[in-house]
């Protein structure tokens, strides 16, 4: 199975670099690229003067719609000469509370969503909501692109962060089209538990499964020396010159990750290469 429908969501003109990464992947996968241009209404009805709520809301919606149409026109100009690409673009308006439902609906019928890291300084404030909507409401894998880095598609070397979790296995299965095309896939096991289900053979059963799918996989078992797992993953990705990291997303609840941090959030904040997430 290949990715035949790829989604990207834009809500700010600064996200055009994200669009270029999605285009590159869509061409490489011979896929159709769906582009959703969002105009966001951040108005708070309680702050309007008495009796002014309908007028204030209409003005906010009109402004958001204009933003969406402007972004849609910019995208169409940007892609006007993309002869090898099949694509469509849609302008839509959402209020803050409706972003998850709208993005989730589009992601539900997509094979992959391509987004920039939501924690970049240049990203709009709702970028994290968009990323989580694709993963949770849309149950769609997300490819998160780092800033100012070329995207190698198909990836030449891939690091798979394997911690024996359900989320990691879901990400690996969703990433199979990319794993098959890679020259080398490393199953990186960081400080595996001796009492875990794989016991003395971490990654062995997974490597066998992937090999049967035509993936050129090898296993690396590493001792943990950094305080954060994300630091270990990033360091190893640089050591093996990886073009892509595949990992499970949000093994803990989103609230816990938002308050205390977690491997998912930390990876998205500091990743040097694209990160493929699923759960």
């Amino acid at each position: 199975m290949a990715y035949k429908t790829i989604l990207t969501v834009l809500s700010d003109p600064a996200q055009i670099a994200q669009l270029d990464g999605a285009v590159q992947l869509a061409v490489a996968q011979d896929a159709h690229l769906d582009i959703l241009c969002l105009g966001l209404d951040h108005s708070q009805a309680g702050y309007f003067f008495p009796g002014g709520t309908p007028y204030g809301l209409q003005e906010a919606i009109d402004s958001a719609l204009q933003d969406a149409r402007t972004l849609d026109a910019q995208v169409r100009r940007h892609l006007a000469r993309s002869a090898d690409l099949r694509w469509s673009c849609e302008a839509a308006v959402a209020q803050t509370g409706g972003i998850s439902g709208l993005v989730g609906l589009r992601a539900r019928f997509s094979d992959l969503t391509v987004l920039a890291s939501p924690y970049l300084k240049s990203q709009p404030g709702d970028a994290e909501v968009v990323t989580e909507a694709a993963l949770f409401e849309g149950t769609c894998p997300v490819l998160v692109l780092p800033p100012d880095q070329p995207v190698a598609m198909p990836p030449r070397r891939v690091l798979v962060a394997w911690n024996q979790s359900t989320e990691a296995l879901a990400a690996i299965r969703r990433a199979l089209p990319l794993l098959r095309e890679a020259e080398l896939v490393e199953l990186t096991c960081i400080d595996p538990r001796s009492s875990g289900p794989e016991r003395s053979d971490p990654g062995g059963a997974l490597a066998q499964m992937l090999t049967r799918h035509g993936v050129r996989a090898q296993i690396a078992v590493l001792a943990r020396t950094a305080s954060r797992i994300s630091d270990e993953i990033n360091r190893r990705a640089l050591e093996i010159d990886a073009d892509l990291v595949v990992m499970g997303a949000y093994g803990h609840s989103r609230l816990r990750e938002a308050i205390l941090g977690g491997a998912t959030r930390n990876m998205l904040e500091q990743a040097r290469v694209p990160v493929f997430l699923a759960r």
Side-chain angles (χ1 to χ4, degrees), residues 146-162:
D148 306 321
Q149 293 289 335
V151 180
M153 288 297 164
R156 184 176 52 89
R157 288 175 173 263
V158 179
L159 184 153
V160 172
W162 177 237

Side-chain angles (χ1 to χ4, degrees), residues 31-87:
H32 185 280
L33 178 62
D34 287 333
I35 306 159
L36 178 61
C37 296
L38 278 182
L40 301 178
D41 171 17
H42 296 285
S43 61
Q44 299 291 332
Y47 290 96
F48 294 127
F49 61 87
T53 297
Y55 303 101
L57 283 175
Q58 187 59 54
E59 183 177 348
I61 291 173
D62 290 344
S63 177
L65 181 59
Q66 183 58 48
D67 290 343
R69 288 173 174 170
T70 299
L71 188 55
D72 176 88
Q74 184 177 356
V75 167
R76 292 179 184 278
R77 289 194 299 270
H78 191 76
L79 298 181
R81 297 183 181 181
S82 300
D84 298 331
L85 177 69
R86 298 190 303 277
W87 60 280

Side-chain angles (χ1 to χ4, degrees), residues 11-142:
S11 59
D12 189 278
Q15 295 174 317
I16 290 298
Q18 166 187 315
L19 175 61
D20 289 337
V23 167
Q24 187 174 350
L25 179 58
V27 171
Q29 292 287 311
D30 190 26
H32 185 280
L33 178 62
D34 287 333
I35 306 159
L36 178 61
C37 296
L38 278 182
L40 301 178
D41 171 17
H42 296 285
S43 61
Q44 299 291 332
Y47 290 96
F48 294 127
F49 61 87
T53 297
Y55 303 101
L57 283 175
Q58 187 59 54
E59 183 177 348
I61 291 173
D62 290 344
S63 177
L65 181 59
Q66 183 58 48
D67 290 343
R69 288 173 174 170
T70 299
L71 188 55
D72 176 88
Q74 184 177 356
V75 167
R76 292 179 184 278
R77 289 194 299 270
H78 191 76
L79 298 181
R81 297 183 181 181
S82 300
D84 298 331
L85 177 69
R86 298 190 303 277
W87 60 280
S88 59
C89 189
E90 176 188 2
V93 172
Q95 292 184 309
T96 302
I99 295 173
S100 292
L102 179 59
V103 173
L105 180 62
R106 299 303 191 279
R108 182 177 299 175
F109 301 103
S110 302
D111 299 314
L112 180 65
T113 301
V114 178
L115 301 170
S117 172
Y119 302 112
L120 299 177
K121 292 182 179 179
S122 60
Q123 286 286 82
D126 299 290
E128 185 176 8
V129 178
V130 170
T131 303
E132 293 187 354
L135 283 168
F136 286 85
E137 277 71 24
T139 63
C140 181
V142 175

